[in-house]
Coordinates of all heavy atoms in Angstrom, one line a residue:
M991 N 0.8 -1.2 0.1 CA 0.0 -0.1 -0.1 C 0.8 1.3 0.0 O 0.6 2.1 -0.8 CB -0.9 0.0 1.3 CG -1.9 1.1 1.2 SD -3.2 0.9 0.0 CE -4.3 2.2 0.4
S992 N 1.9 1.3 0.8 CA 2.7 2.5 1.0 C 3.5 2.7 -0.4 O 3.8 3.8 -0.9 CB 3.7 2.5 2.1 OG 4.7 1.4 1.9
H993 N 3.9 1.5 -1.0 CA 4.6 1.6 -2.3 C 3.7 2.3 -3.3 O 4.1 3.2 -4.1 CB 5.0 0.2 -2.7 CG 5.6 0.2 -4.2 ND1 6.9 0.7 -4.4 CD2 5.2 -0.2 -5.3 CE1 7.1 0.6 -5.6 NE2 6.1 0.1 -6.3
H994 N 2.4 1.9 -3.4 CA 1.5 2.5 -4.3 C 1.3 4.0 -4.1 O 1.4 4.8 -5.1 CB 0.1 1.9 -4.2 CG -0.9 2.4 -5.1 ND1 -0.8 2.3 -6.5 CD2 -2.0 3.2 -4.9 CE1 -1.8 2.9 -7.0 NE2 -2.6 3.5 -6.1
S995 N 1.2 4.5 -2.9 CA 1.1 5.9 -2.6 C 2.3 6.7 -3.0 O 2.3 7.8 -3.5 CB 0.6 6.2 -1.2 OG 1.6 5.8 -0.3
E996 N 3.4 6.1 -2.7 CA 4.7 6.7 -3.0 C 4.8 6.9 -4.6 O 5.2 7.9 -5.1 CB 5.9 5.8 -2.6 CG 7.3 6.4 -2.8 CD 7.5 7.8 -2.2 OE1 7.1 8.0 -1.0 OE2 8.1 8.7 -2.8
K997 N 4.4 5.8 -5.3 CA 4.4 5.9 -6.8 C 3.4 7.0 -7.3 O 3.8 7.7 -8.2 CB 4.0 4.5 -7.4 CG 4.2 4.4 -8.8 CD 3.8 3.0 -9.3 CE 4.0 2.9 -10.8 NZ 3.4 1.6 -11.2
Q998 N 2.2 7.1 -6.6 CA 1.3 8.2 -6.9 C 1.9 9.5 -6.8 O 1.8 10.4 -7.6 CB 0.1 8.1 -6.1 CG -1.2 7.8 -6.8 CD -2.4 7.7 -5.9 OE1 -2.3 7.7 -4.7 NE2 -3.4 7.3 -6.5
R999 N 2.6 9.8 -5.6 CA 3.2 11.1 -5.3 C 4.2 11.5 -6.3 O 4.5 12.7 -6.4 CB 3.6 11.1 -3.9 CG 2.7 11.6 -2.9 CD 3.2 11.8 -1.6 NE 3.2 10.4 -0.8 CZ 4.1 9.9 -0.1 NH1 5.2 10.5 -0.1 NH2 3.9 8.7 0.5
S1000 N 5.0 10.5 -6.9 CA 6.0 11.0 -7.8 C 5.5 10.8 -9.3 O 6.4 10.7 -10.2 CB 7.3 10.2 -7.5 OG 7.1 8.8 -7.7
A1001 N 4.3 10.7 -9.5 CA 3.6 10.5 -10.9 C 4.1 11.9 -11.6 O 4.1 12.9 -11.0 CB 2.2 10.3 -10.9
P1002 N 4.3 11.8 -13.0 CA 4.5 13.0 -13.7 C 3.6 14.1 -13.5 O 2.3 13.8 -13.4 CB 4.7 12.5 -15.1 CG 4.8 11.0 -15.0 CD 4.3 10.5 -13.7
V1003 N 4.0 15.2 -13.4 CA 3.1 16.5 -13.3 C 2.3 16.6 -14.6 O 3.0 16.6 -15.6 CB 3.8 17.7 -12.9 CG1 2.9 18.9 -13.0 CG2 4.5 17.6 -11.5
K1004 N 1.0 16.8 -14.5 CA 0.2 17.0 -15.7 C -0.1 18.5 -15.9 O -1.1 18.9 -15.3 CB -1.0 16.3 -15.6 CG -0.8 14.7 -15.8 CD -2.1 13.9 -15.8 CE -2.0 12.4 -15.9 NZ -1.4 11.8 -14.7
G1005 N 0.7 19.2 -16.6 CA 0.4 20.6 -16.9 C 0.6 21.6 -15.8 O 0.8 21.1 -14.7
P1006 N 0.2 22.9 -16.1 CA 0.4 23.9 -15.2 C -0.5 23.8 -13.9 O 0.0 24.1 -12.7 CB 0.1 25.2 -15.9 CG -0.5 24.8 -17.2 CD -0.1 23.3 -17.4
I1007 N -1.7 23.3 -14.0 CA -2.5 23.1 -13.0 C -2.0 22.0 -11.9 O -2.0 22.2 -10.7 CB -4.0 22.8 -13.4 CG1 -4.6 24.0 -14.0 CG2 -4.9 22.4 -12.2 CD1 -5.9 23.7 -14.8
G1008 N -1.6 20.9 -12.5 CA -1.0 19.9 -11.7 C 0.3 20.4 -10.9 O 0.5 20.1 -9.8
A1009 N 1.1 21.1 -11.7 CA 2.3 21.8 -11.1 C 1.9 22.7 -9.9 O 2.5 22.6 -8.9 CB 3.1 22.5 -12.2
A1010 N 1.0 23.5 -10.1 CA 0.5 24.5 -9.1 C 0.0 23.8 -7.8 O 0.4 24.1 -6.7 CB -0.6 25.3 -9.6
R1011 N -0.8 22.7 -8.0 CA -1.2 21.9 -6.9 C -0.1 21.2 -6.2 O -0.1 21.2 -4.9 CB -2.3 20.9 -7.4 CG -3.6 21.5 -7.8 CD -4.7 20.4 -8.0 NE -5.9 21.0 -8.5 CZ -6.6 20.6 -9.4 NH1 -6.3 19.7 -10.2 NH2 -7.7 21.2 -9.8
R1012 N 0.7 20.6 -6.9 CA 1.8 19.8 -6.3 C 2.7 20.8 -5.6 O 3.2 20.5 -4.4 CB 2.6 19.1 -7.4 CG 3.5 18.0 -6.9 CD 2.9 16.6 -6.7 NE 2.1 16.2 -7.9 CZ 2.6 15.2 -8.7 NH1 3.8 14.7 -8.5 NH2 1.9 14.9 -9.8
A1013 N 3.1 21.9 -6.1 CA 4.0 23.0 -5.5 C 3.4 23.4 -4.2 O 4.1 23.5 -3.2 CB 4.3 24.0 -6.4
G1014 N 2.0 23.7 -4.2 CA 1.4 24.1 -3.0 C 1.4 23.1 -1.9 O 1.8 23.4 -0.8
R1015 N 1.2 21.8 -2.3 CA 1.2 20.8 -1.2 C 2.6 20.6 -0.7 O 2.8 20.4 0.5 CB 0.7 19.4 -1.8 CG -0.7 19.4 -2.0 CD -1.2 18.0 -2.1 NE -0.6 17.2 -3.2 CZ -1.1 17.1 -4.4 NH1 -2.2 17.8 -4.8 NH2 -0.5 16.4 -5.4
R1016 N 3.6 20.5 -1.6 CA 5.0 20.4 -1.1 C 5.5 21.5 -0.2 O 6.0 21.3 0.9 CB 5.9 20.3 -2.3 CG 5.8 19.1 -3.2 CD 6.4 17.9 -2.6 NE 6.5 16.7 -3.6 CZ 5.5 15.8 -3.7 NH1 4.5 15.8 -2.9 NH2 5.6 14.8 -4.6
L1017 N 5.2 22.7 -0.6 CA 5.6 23.9 0.2 C 4.9 23.9 1.5 O 5.5 24.2 2.5 CB 5.4 25.1 -0.5 CG 5.9 26.4 0.1 CD1 7.4 26.4 0.2 CD2 5.4 27.7 -0.5
S1018 N 3.6 23.7 1.6 CA 2.8 23.7 2.8 C 3.4 22.6 3.7 O 3.5 22.9 4.9 CB 1.4 23.4 2.5 OG 0.6 23.5 3.6
A1019 N 3.7 21.4 3.2 CA 4.3 20.3 4.0 C 5.6 20.7 4.7 O 5.9 20.4 5.8 CB 4.4 19.0 3.2
L1020 N 6.4 21.4 3.9 CA 7.8 21.8 4.4 C 7.7 23.0 5.3 O 8.4 22.9 6.4 CB 8.6 22.2 3.2 CG 9.4 21.2 2.5 CD1 10.0 21.7 1.1 CD2 10.5 20.6 3.3
T1021 N 6.9 23.9 5.1 CA 6.9 25.2 5.9 C 5.8 25.2 7.0 O 5.9 26.0 7.9 CB 6.7 26.4 5.0 OG1 5.4 26.4 4.4 CG2 7.8 26.5 3.9
G1022 N 4.8 24.4 6.7 CA 3.6 24.5 7.7 C 2.7 25.7 7.4 O 1.8 25.8 8.1
H1023 N 3.0 26.5 6.4 CA 2.1 27.7 6.1 C 1.0 27.2 5.2 O 1.2 26.4 4.3 CB 2.9 28.7 5.3 CG 4.1 29.3 6.2 ND1 4.0 29.6 7.5 CD2 5.4 29.5 5.8 CE1 5.1 30.1 7.9 NE2 6.0 30.0 6.9
A1024 N -0.2 27.8 5.5 CA -1.4 27.6 4.6 C -1.2 28.3 3.3 O -0.8 29.4 3.2 CB -2.7 28.1 5.3
V1025 N -1.5 27.5 2.2 CA -1.3 28.0 0.9 C -2.6 29.0 0.6 O -3.7 28.6 0.9 CB -1.3 27.0 -0.2 CG1 -1.4 27.5 -1.7 CG2 0.0 26.2 0.0
D1026 N -2.3 30.1 0.1 CA -3.4 31.2 -0.2 C -3.7 31.2 -1.7 O -4.9 31.4 -2.0 CB -3.0 32.5 0.3 CG -4.1 33.5 0.3 OD1 -5.1 33.4 1.1 OD2 -4.1 34.5 -0.5
G1027 N -2.8 30.8 -2.5 CA -3.0 30.9 -3.9 C -1.8 30.6 -4.7 O -0.7 30.5 -4.1
V1028 N -1.8 30.6 -5.9 CA -0.7 30.5 -6.9 C -0.7 31.7 -7.8 O -1.8 31.9 -8.4 CB -0.8 29.2 -7.6 CG1 0.3 29.1 -8.7 CG2 -0.5 28.0 -6.7
S1029 N 0.4 32.4 -7.9 CA 0.4 33.7 -8.6 C 1.1 33.5 -10.0 O 0.9 34.3 -10.9 CB 1.0 34.9 -7.9 OG 2.2 34.5 -7.3
A1030 N 1.8 32.4 -10.2 CA 2.5 32.2 -11.5 C 2.9 30.7 -11.6 O 3.3 30.1 -10.6 CB 3.6 33.1 -11.6
V1031 N 2.9 30.3 -12.9 CA 3.4 28.9 -13.2 C 4.1 29.0 -14.5 O 3.6 29.5 -15.5 CB 2.2 27.8 -13.3 CG1 2.9 26.5 -13.6 CG2 1.5 27.7 -12.1
S1032 N 5.4 28.6 -14.5 CA 6.1 28.7 -15.8 C 6.8 27.4 -16.0 O 7.4 26.8 -15.0 CB 7.0 29.8 -15.9 OG 7.6 30.1 -14.7
P1033 N 6.9 26.8 -17.3 CA 7.6 25.6 -17.5 C 9.2 25.9 -17.5 O 9.6 27.1 -18.0 CB 7.1 25.3 -18.9 CG 6.7 26.5 -19.6 CD 6.2 27.4 -18.5
L1034 N 9.9 25.0 -16.9 CA 11.4 25.0 -17.0 C 11.8 23.9 -18.0 O 11.0 22.9 -18.3 CB 11.9 24.8 -15.7 CG 11.7 25.8 -14.5 CD1 12.2 25.3 -13.2 CD2 12.2 27.2 -15.0
E1035 N 13.0 23.9 -18.3 CA 13.5 22.8 -19.2 C 13.3 21.4 -18.6 O 13.0 20.5 -19.3 CB 15.0 23.0 -19.5 CG 15.6 22.4 -20.8 CD 17.0 22.8 -20.9 OE1 17.2 23.9 -21.2 OE2 17.9 21.9 -20.9
D1036 N 13.5 21.4 -17.3 CA 13.3 20.1 -16.6 C 12.3 20.1 -15.5 O 12.3 19.3 -14.6 CB 14.8 19.8 -16.0 CG 15.2 20.9 -15.0 OD1 14.6 21.9 -15.0 OD2 16.2 20.8 -14.4
G1037 N 11.3 20.8 -15.8 CA 10.2 20.8 -14.7 C 9.3 22.1 -14.6 O 9.0 22.6 -15.8
W1038 N 9.0 22.6 -13.6 CA 8.1 23.7 -13.4 C 8.7 24.7 -12.4 O 9.1 24.3 -11.4 CB 6.7 23.3 -13.0 CG 6.0 22.4 -14.1 CD1 6.1 21.1 -14.2 CD2 5.3 22.8 -15.1 NE1 5.4 20.6 -15.2 CE2 4.9 21.8 -15.9 CE3 4.8 24.1 -15.6 CZ2 4.0 21.8 -17.0 CZ3 4.1 24.2 -16.7 CH2 3.7 23.1 -17.4
R1039 N 8.3 26.0 -12.6 CA 8.6 26.9 -11.5 C 7.2 27.5 -11.1 O 6.5 28.0 -12.1 CB 9.5 28.1 -11.9 CG 9.7 29.2 -11.0 CD 10.8 30.1 -11.3 NE 12.1 29.3 -11.0 CZ 13.3 29.5 -11.6 NH1 13.4 30.5 -12.5 NH2 14.3 28.8 -11.3
V1040 N 6.9 27.6 -9.9 CA 5.6 27.9 -9.4 C 5.8 29.0 -8.4 O 6.6 28.9 -7.4 CB 4.7 26.7 -8.8 CG1 3.4 27.2 -8.4 CG2 4.7 25.6 -9.8
R1041 N 5.0 30.1 -8.4 CA 5.0 31.1 -7.3 C 3.9 30.8 -6.4 O 2.6 31.0 -7.0 CB 5.0 32.5 -7.9 CG 6.3 33.0 -8.4 CD 6.5 34.4 -8.6 NE 7.9 34.7 -8.8 CZ 8.5 35.8 -8.4 NH1 7.8 36.8 -7.9 NH2 9.8 36.0 -8.6
V1042 N 4.1 30.5 -5.2 CA 3.1 30.1 -4.2 C 2.9 31.2 -3.2 O 4.0 31.6 -2.6 CB 3.3 28.7 -3.7 CG1 2.2 28.3 -2.7 CG2 3.5 27.6 -4.8
D1043 N 1.7 31.7 -3.0 CA 1.4 32.6 -2.0 C 0.9 32.0 -0.7 O 0.0 31.2 -0.8 CB 0.4 33.7 -2.4 CG 0.8 34.4 -3.8 OD1 2.0 34.8 -3.8 OD2 0.0 34.5 -4.7
V1044 N 1.5 32.3 0.5 CA 1.0 31.6 1.7 C 0.9 32.7 2.7 O 1.3 33.8 2.7 CB 2.2 30.6 2.1 CG1 2.6 29.6 1.2 CG2 3.5 31.4 2.6
V1045 N 0.1 32.2 3.7 CA -0.2 33.0 5.0 C 1.0 32.6 5.9 O 1.0 31.5 6.5 CB -1.5 32.8 5.6 CG1 -1.8 33.6 6.8 CG2 -2.6 32.9 4.6
E1046 N 1.9 33.5 6.1 CA 3.0 33.2 7.0 C 2.7 33.5 8.5 O 3.0 32.7 9.3 CB 4.3 34.1 6.7 CG 5.1 33.5 5.6 CD 6.6 33.9 5.7 OE1 6.9 35.0 6.2 OE2 7.5 33.0 5.4
V1047 N 2.0 34.7 8.7 CA 1.6 34.9 10.1 C 0.1 35.4 10.1 O -0.2 36.5 9.6 CB 2.4 36.0 10.7 CG1 2.0 36.3 12.2 CG2 3.9 35.7 10.6
P1048 N -0.8 34.5 10.4 CA -2.3 34.8 10.4 C -2.5 35.9 11.5 O -2.1 35.7 12.6 CB -3.0 33.5 10.7 CG -2.0 32.4 10.7 CD -0.6 33.1 10.9
R1049 N -3.3 36.9 11.2 CA -3.7 38.0 12.1 C -5.1 38.3 12.0 O -5.8 38.0 11.0 CB -2.8 39.1 11.9 CG -1.3 38.9 12.3 CD -0.6 40.3 12.5 NE 0.7 40.0 13.0 CZ 1.8 40.6 12.5 NH1 1.7 41.6 11.6 NH2 3.0 40.3 13.1
I1050 N -5.7 38.9 13.1 CA -7.0 39.4 13.0 C -6.9 41.0 13.2 O -6.3 41.5 14.1 CB -7.9 38.8 14.2 CG1 -7.9 37.3 13.9 CG2 -9.2 39.4 14.2 CD1 -8.5 36.5 15.1
P1051 N -7.5 41.8 12.2 CA -8.3 41.2 11.1 C -7.4 40.7 10.0 O -6.1 40.9 10.0 CB -9.0 42.5 10.5 CG -8.1 43.6 11.0 CD -7.5 43.1 12.2
D1052 N -8.0 39.9 9.2 CA -7.2 39.1 8.2 C -6.4 40.0 7.1 O -5.4 39.5 6.7 CB -8.2 38.2 7.3 CG -7.5 37.3 6.4 OD1 -6.6 36.6 7.0 OD2 -7.8 37.2 5.3
T1053 N -6.9 41.2 7.0 CA -6.2 42.1 6.1 C -4.7 42.4 6.6 O -3.9 42.9 5.9 CB -6.9 43.4 5.9 OG1 -7.2 44.0 7.2 CG2 -8.1 43.2 5.1
T1054 N -4.5 42.3 8.0 CA -3.2 42.5 8.5 C -2.4 41.3 8.6 O -1.2 41.3 9.1 CB -3.4 43.2 10.0 OG1 -4.0 42.2 10.8 CG2 -4.2 44.4 9.9
S1055 N -2.8 40.1 8.1 CA -1.9 38.9 8.0 C -0.7 39.1 7.3 O -0.7 39.8 6.2 CB -2.7 37.8 7.4 OG -3.9 37.4 8.3
L1056 N 0.4 38.5 7.8 CA 1.7 38.6 6.9 C 1.7 37.5 5.9 O 1.5 36.3 6.2 CB 2.9 38.5 7.9 CG 3.4 39.7 8.6 CD1 4.6 39.4 9.4 CD2 3.6 40.8 7.6
M1057 N 1.9 37.8 4.6 CA 1.8 37.0 3.5 C 3.3 36.8 3.0 O 4.1 37.6 3.3 CB 0.9 37.4 2.4 CG -0.5 37.9 2.9 SD -1.4 36.5 3.4 CE -1.6 35.6 1.9
A1058 N 3.5 35.7 2.2 CA 4.8 35.5 1.6 C 4.6 34.9 0.2 O 3.7 34.1 0.1 CB 5.7 34.8 2.5
T1059 N 5.4 35.1 -0.7 CA 5.4 34.4 -2.0 C 6.7 33.7 -2.1 O 7.8 34.2 -1.8 CB 5.3 35.4 -3.1 OG1 4.1 36.2 -3.0 CG2 5.3 34.7 -4.5
Y1060 N 6.6 32.4 -2.4 CA 7.7 31.5 -2.5 C 7.8 31.1 -3.9 O 6.8 30.8 -4.6 CB 7.6 30.2 -1.6 CG 7.8 30.5 -0.2 CD1 6.8 31.0 0.6 CD2 9.0 30.1 0.4 CE1 7.1 31.2 2.0 CE2 9.2 30.4 1.7 CZ 8.3 30.9 2.6 OH 8.5 31.0 3.9
E1061 N 9.0 31.0 -4.5 CA 9.3 30.4 -5.7 C 9.7 28.9 -5.6 O 10.6 28.7 -4.9 CB 10.4 31.2 -6.5 CG 10.2 31.2 -7.9 CD 11.2 32.2 -8.5 OE1 12.4 32.1 -8.5 OE2 10.7 33.2 -9.0
V1062 N 8.9 28.0 -6.1 CA 9.1 26.7 -6.0 C 9.4 25.9 -7.3 O 8.7 26.1 -8.3 CB 7.8 25.9 -5.3 CG1 8.0 24.5 -5.2 CG2 7.4 26.7 -4.0
D1063 N 10.5 25.3 -7.3 CA 10.9 24.5 -8.5 C 10.7 23.1 -8.4 O 11.1 22.5 -7.4 CB 12.4 24.8 -8.9 CG 12.7 26.2 -9.4 OD1 11.8 26.9 -9.5 OD2 13.9 26.5 -9.6
L1064 N 9.9 22.5 -9.3 CA 9.6 21.1 -9.3 C 10.2 20.4 -10.5 O 10.3 21.0 -11.5 CB 8.1 20.8 -9.4 CG 7.2 21.4 -8.3 CD1 5.7 21.2 -8.7 CD2 7.5 20.9 -7.0
D1065 N 10.7 19.1 -10.4 CA 11.1 18.4 -11.6 C 9.8 17.9 -12.3 O 8.7 18.1 -11.8 CB 12.2 17.3 -11.2 CG 11.6 16.2 -10.4 OD1 10.3 16.1 -10.2 OD2 12.4 15.4 -9.9
H1066 N 10.0 17.2 -13.4 CA 8.9 16.6 -14.1 C 8.0 15.7 -13.3 O 6.8 15.5 -13.6 CB 9.2 16.0 -15.5 CG 9.6 17.0 -16.5 ND1 8.8 18.0 -16.9 CD2 10.8 17.3 -17.1 CE1 9.3 18.8 -17.9 NE2 10.5 18.4 -18.0
N1067 N 8.5 15.0 -12.4 CA 7.8 14.1 -11.4 C 7.3 14.7 -10.3 O 6.7 14.1 -9.4 CB 8.8 12.9 -11.1 CG 9.1 12.0 -12.2 OD1 8.2 11.8 -13.0 ND2 10.3 11.6 -12.4
G1068 N 7.3 16.1 -10.2 CA 6.6 16.9 -9.1 C 7.4 16.8 -7.8 O 6.9 17.2 -6.8
R1069 N 8.7 16.3 -7.9 CA 9.6 16.4 -6.7 C 10.2 17.9 -6.5 O 10.5 18.4 -7.5 CB 10.7 15.4 -6.8 CG 10.2 14.0 -6.5 CD 11.3 13.0 -6.5 NE 12.0 12.8 -7.8 CZ 11.7 11.9 -8.7 NH1 10.8 10.9 -8.3 NH2 12.3 11.8 -9.8
L1070 N 10.1 18.4 -5.3 CA 10.6 19.8 -5.1 C 12.1 19.7 -5.2 O 12.8 18.9 -4.5 CB 10.1 20.2 -3.6 CG 10.4 21.6 -3.4 CD1 9.2 22.1 -2.5 CD2 11.7 21.9 -2.7
V1071 N 12.6 20.5 -6.1 CA 14.1 20.7 -6.4 C 14.7 21.8 -5.4 O 15.7 21.6 -4.7 CB 14.3 21.0 -7.8 CG1 15.8 21.2 -8.1 CG2 13.8 20.0 -8.8
Q1072 N 13.9 22.9 -5.4 CA 14.3 24.0 -4.4 C 13.2 24.9 -4.3 O 12.3 24.9 -5.1 CB 15.6 24.8 -5.1 CG 15.3 25.5 -6.3 CD 16.5 26.3 -6.8 OE1 17.6 26.1 -6.3 NE2 16.3 27.1 -7.7
Y1073 N 13.3 25.8 -3.2 CA 12.3 26.8 -3.0 C 13.0 28.0 -2.3 O 14.0 27.8 -1.6 CB 11.1 26.3 -2.3 CG 11.3 26.1 -0.7 CD1 10.9 27.1 0.1 CD2 11.8 24.9 -0.3 CE1 11.1 26.9 1.5 CE2 12.1 24.8 1.1 CZ 11.7 25.8 2.0 OH 11.9 25.6 3.4
E1074 N 12.4 29.2 -2.5 CA 13.0 30.4 -1.9 C 11.9 31.4 -1.7 O 11.0 31.6 -2.5 CB 14.0 31.0 -3.0 CG 14.6 32.2 -2.5 CD 15.5 32.9 -3.6 OE1 15.6 32.3 -4.7 OE2 16.1 34.0 -3.4
R1075 N 11.9 32.1 -0.5 CA 10.9 33.1 -0.3 C 11.4 34.4 -1.0 O 12.5 34.8 -1.0 CB 10.8 33.4 1.1 CG 9.7 34.4 1.5 CD 9.4 34.7 2.9 NE 10.5 35.4 3.5 CZ 10.8 35.5 4.7 NH1 10.1 34.9 5.7 NH2 11.8 36.1 5.2
V1076 N 10.5 34.9 -2.0 CA 10.9 36.0 -2.8 C 10.2 37.3 -2.4 O 10.6 38.4 -2.9 CB 10.7 35.7 -4.3 CG1 11.6 34.6 -4.8 CG2 9.2 35.4 -4.6
R1077 N 9.2 37.2 -1.6 CA 8.5 38.4 -1.2 C 7.8 38.2 0.1 O 7.3 37.1 0.4 CB 7.5 38.7 -2.3 CG 6.6 40.0 -2.1 CD 5.8 40.4 -3.2 NE 5.0 41.5 -3.0 CZ 3.7 41.5 -3.0 NH1 3.0 40.4 -3.4 NH2 3.0 42.6 -2.6
R1078 N 7.7 39.2 1.0 CA 6.9 39.1 2.2 C 6.1 40.5 2.2 O 6.7 41.5 2.0 CB 7.8 39.1 3.4 CG 7.2 38.5 4.6 CD 8.2 38.1 5.6 NE 7.5 37.3 6.7 CZ 7.8 37.4 8.0 NH1 8.9 38.1 8.4 NH2 7.2 36.7 8.8
Y1079 N 4.8 40.4 2.6 CA 3.9 41.5 2.6 C 2.7 41.4 3.5 O 2.4 40.3 3.8 CB 3.5 41.9 1.1 CG 2.8 40.7 0.5 CD1 1.4 40.7 0.3 CD2 3.5 39.6 -0.1 CE1 0.7 39.6 -0.3 CE2 2.8 38.5 -0.7 CZ 1.4 38.5 -0.7 OH 0.8 37.5 -1.3
R1080 N 2.0 42.5 3.8 CA 0.7 42.4 4.5 C -0.4 42.1 3.4 O -0.2 42.6 2.3 CB 0.5 43.7 5.2 CG 1.3 43.9 6.4 CD 0.8 45.1 7.2 NE 1.9 45.5 8.2 CZ 2.2 44.8 9.3 NH1 1.6 43.7 9.6 NH2 3.1 45.3 10.0
R1081 N -1.3 41.4 3.9 CA -2.3 41.0 2.8 C -3.0 42.1 2.2 O -3.3 42.2 1.0 CB -3.4 40.2 3.6 CG -4.4 39.6 2.6 CD -5.6 39.0 3.2 NE -5.3 37.7 3.8 CZ -5.4 36.5 3.1 NH1 -5.5 36.6 1.7 NH2 -5.1 35.4 3.7
C1082 N -3.1 43.3 2.9 CA -3.8 44.5 2.3 C -2.9 45.3 1.4 O -3.3 46.2 0.8 CB -4.3 45.4 3.5 SG -3.0 46.0 4.5
A1083 N -1.6 45.0 1.3 CA -0.6 45.7 0.5 C -0.9 45.3 -0.9 O -1.2 44.2 -1.3 CB 0.8 45.3 0.9
T1084 N -0.7 46.2 -1.8 CA -0.8 46.0 -3.3 C 0.5 46.5 -4.0 O 1.2 47.4 -3.6 CB -1.9 46.7 -3.8 OG1 -1.8 48.2 -3.6 CG2 -3.3 46.3 -3.4
D1085 N 0.8 45.8 -5.0 CA 2.0 46.2 -5.9 C 1.5 47.4 -6.7 O 0.5 47.4 -7.2 CB 2.5 45.0 -6.8 CG 3.1 44.0 -5.9 OD1 3.6 44.3 -4.8 OD2 3.2 42.9 -6.4
D1086 N 2.4 48.3 -6.9 CA 2.1 49.5 -7.8 C 2.4 49.1 -9.2 O 3.3 48.3 -9.5 CB 3.0 50.7 -7.4 CG 2.4 51.3 -6.1 OD1 1.2 51.1 -5.7 OD2 3.1 52.0 -5.4

């Protein structure tokens, strides 16, 4: 049974939606942060690069929560190759 689920987890990523979902799950498992959304997905030669937005520090009201964007690189099998926090901001902040 565990062999089957391991095989499932490393199944090839199917397109940008699959890459986005996989990156969110991997990042959340590693950091413990709740995924808020995905702001970008782009193909790499050997996989995918996904920008995942997470709630780093939940606050009340929610507009004051601290958010972060991580760049997550996956290989074609959805394994996390590397990740890096590229931005940190309050939820209510907007880019100009």
Side-chain angles (χ1 to χ4, degrees):
M991 185 70 175
S992 67
H993 176 72
H994 178 70
S995 63
E996 183 60 41
K997 192 176 177 187
Q998 241 178 0
R999 265 185 275 134
S1000 61
V1003 171
K1004 290 183 177 75
I1007 292 169
R1011 287 190 182 131
R1012 194 87 54 102
R1015 283 201 305 269
R1016 294 279 189 265
L1017 185 67
S1018 185
L1020 272 171
T1021 64
H1023 299 315
V1025 173
D1026 192 66
V1028 169
S1029 48
V1031 181
S1032 42
L1034 298 174
E1035 202 174 297
D1036 53 356
W1038 296 92
R1039 174 163 291 155
V1040 184
R1041 283 198 168 209
V1042 181
D1043 304 314
V1044 302
V1045 182
E1046 274 208 331
V1047 183
R1049 292 204 173 132
I1050 297 169
D1052 188 49
T1053 52
T1054 61
S1055 292
L1056 276 181
M1057 309 294 293
T1059 301
Y1060 285 81
E1061 208 164 70
V1062 180
D1063 289 356
L1064 301 176
D1065 67 14
H1066 283 301
N1067 289 318
R1069 286 186 289 261
L1070 194 144
V1071 178
Q1072 65 176 14
Y1073 74 99
E1074 176 187 3
R1075 186 174 69 198
V1076 293
R1077 181 172 177 239
R1078 201 168 190 213
Y1079 58 100
R1080 289 191 196 287
R1081 188 188 282 280
C1082 60
T1084 55
D1085 290 335
D1086 290 334

